[in-house]
Amino acid sequence: MNSKTVLGFDFGTKSIGVAIGQEITASATPLLSIKAVDGIPNWDQIGGLIKEWQPDLVVVGLPLNMDGTEQDMTHRARKFANRINAKFKVKIATQDERLTTTDAKARLFELGGFKALTKGQVDAVSAVLIIESYFENNFSK
């Protein structure tokens, strides 16, 4: 079986977390956070990541309100996903990311206490959780 490589993004207006995941293990690893200016990243940096990792799929977290309704950030994250698809011709999926930031902070705290909670690390671990929840929702037996 050929395992899919998945690149995950936790979209934000100032910072975009990035993680890489493997379908075969249904797990992901945080990579980095990319600076953004009002939600616009350095597209060359994103292109470099796509070239380096050759993902079969890019998963972008969709920030929804707790009741599941959409907000301005939901539309911006979807637009970001569509731009990745248009610019780099990779398959895109979106994943509900409610609670991922909270879960990321809890996971980092378990790993290293308060010193582990840098914004960049939280964003990258949020991207890990987006990939892992995508796997749970799409590949569970």
Side-chain angles (χ1 to χ4, degrees):
M1 177 187 138
N2 203 355
S3 178
K4 283 194 175 83
T5 300
V6 177
L7 199 58
F9 290 95
D10 176 36
F11 176 79
T13 54
K14 294 188 179 79
S15 175
I16 298 167
V18 188
I20 190 75
Q22 289 296 326
E23 181 188 359
I24 200 160
T25 56
S27 65
T29 307
L31 289 177
L32 74 162
S33 290
I34 295 172
K35 294 268 175 277
V37 179
D38 195 28
I40 299 162
N42 175 335
W43 287 109
D44 291 340
Q45 198 174 6
I46 292 192
L49 287 165
I50 288 169
K51 191 174 180 185
E52 179 182 353
W53 294 100
Q54 301 282 308
D56 300 289
L57 179 69
V58 169
V59 178
V60 175
L62 271 193
L64 298 165
N65 293 318
M66 287 320 265
D67 63 2
T69 57
E70 297 200 352
Q71 51 174 297
D72 178 53
M73 282 297 284
T74 316
H75 301 292
R76 294 181 75 167
R78 194 172 273 131
K79 193 170 166 185
F80 171 74
N82 290 337
R83 285 207 176 124
I84 290 175
N85 175 257
K87 282 180 183 287
F88 307 109
K89 308 294 181 237
V90 288
K91 192 176 166 206
I92 296 286
T94 54
Q95 176 62 42
D96 176 358
E97 66 162 56
R98 282 175 286 177
L99 302 176
T100 54
T101 301
T102 308
D103 292 347
K105 286 181 178 164
R107 190 178 289 191
L108 277 169
F109 187 73
E110 281 168 25
L111 295 174
F114 286 111
K115 66 182 182 298
L117 297 180
T118 70
K119 175 77 175 109
Q121 286 173 306
V122 169
D123 291 339
V125 172
S126 290
V128 165
L129 296 170
I130 287 164
I131 292 173
E132 289 179 354
S133 56
Y134 175 81
F135 285 147
E136 279 166 29
N137 290 332
N138 291 280
F139 301 113
S140 50
K141 311 271 175 286

